[in-house]
């Protein structure tokens, strides 16, 4: 994917980001428009469009993303009060950047899971 993908460019160091954790296979950095006191994005360094493609394509890398998210949650002091981890996927999910990323949100009560009741 490379130069066409915003998050590949962050991995490549071409666009700055506030990195909070890096492993051989993953990168965690602060969201540029935080929706909570802690809002970190966790991505695989390798390009996959979304969580469905990643989970189908590389189970070990999927586990790496989750493990990095859990480690950041601990670093940020979120384990006691809790946090939310979510993958917006596709148009109904509101995905805007098509390089899979987990949103790690915490630091305050996050309210209902959805803004509206759709059932
Ligand atoms: P999504 O709607 O799930 O695709 O989320 C994309 C997220 O990426 C949004 O929360 C944006 O605020 C965030 N974002 C966009 N550009 C950057 C950037 N350069 N650095 C950090 N976060 C970004
Ligand atoms: Zn990418």
């Amino acid at each position: 994917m490379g130069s066409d993908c915003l998050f590949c460019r962050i991995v490549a160091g071409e666009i700055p980001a506030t990195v909070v954790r890096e492993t051989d296979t993953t990168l965690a950095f602060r969201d540029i428009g935080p929706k909570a006191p802690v809002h970190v994005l966790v991505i695989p360094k390798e390009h996959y469009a979304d969580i469905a493609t990643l989970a189908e394509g590389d189970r070990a890398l999927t586990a790496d993303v989750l493990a990095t998210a859990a480690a950041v949650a601990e670093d940020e002091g979120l384990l006691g009060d809790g946090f939310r981890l979510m993958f917006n996927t596709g148009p109904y999910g509101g995905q805007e950047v098509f390089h899979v990323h987990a949103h790690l949100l915490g630091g305050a009560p996050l309210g209902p899971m959805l803004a509206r009741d759709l059932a």
Side-chain angles (χ1 to χ4, degrees):
M1 194 70 185
S3 62
D4 289 342
C5 171
L6 176 64
F7 289 173
C8 281
R9 296 188 69 191
I10 287 177
V11 170
E14 295 169 8
I15 292 175
T18 304
V19 173
V20 297
R21 181 172 281 260
E22 180 171 10
T23 70
D24 288 347
T25 58
T26 68
L27 193 68
F29 53 95
R30 297 201 188 279
D31 194 291
I32 204 169
K35 301 286 197 296
V38 176
H39 189 173
V40 172
L41 302 178
V42 184
I43 67 171
K45 289 181 174 175
E46 187 178 344
H47 183 91
Y48 286 89
D50 57 36
I51 185 58
T53 312
L54 173 62
E56 178 68 24
D58 192 330
R59 295 292 169 93
L61 185 55
T62 306
D64 288 350
V65 169
L66 297 178
T68 295
V72 174
E74 181 170 21
D75 290 347
E76 298 285 328
L78 303 182
L79 295 189
D81 288 329
F83 58 90
R84 191 169 290 162
L85 189 65
M86 62 183 201
F87 293 88
N88 294 330
T89 305
Y92 277 19
Q95 187 177 5
E96 294 178 351
V97 177
F98 288 86
H99 181 131
V100 60
H101 49 281
H103 291 263
L104 173 66
L105 296 155
L110 296 170
M113 188 163 60
L114 296 176
R116 292 183 290 133
D117 188 349
L118 302 174

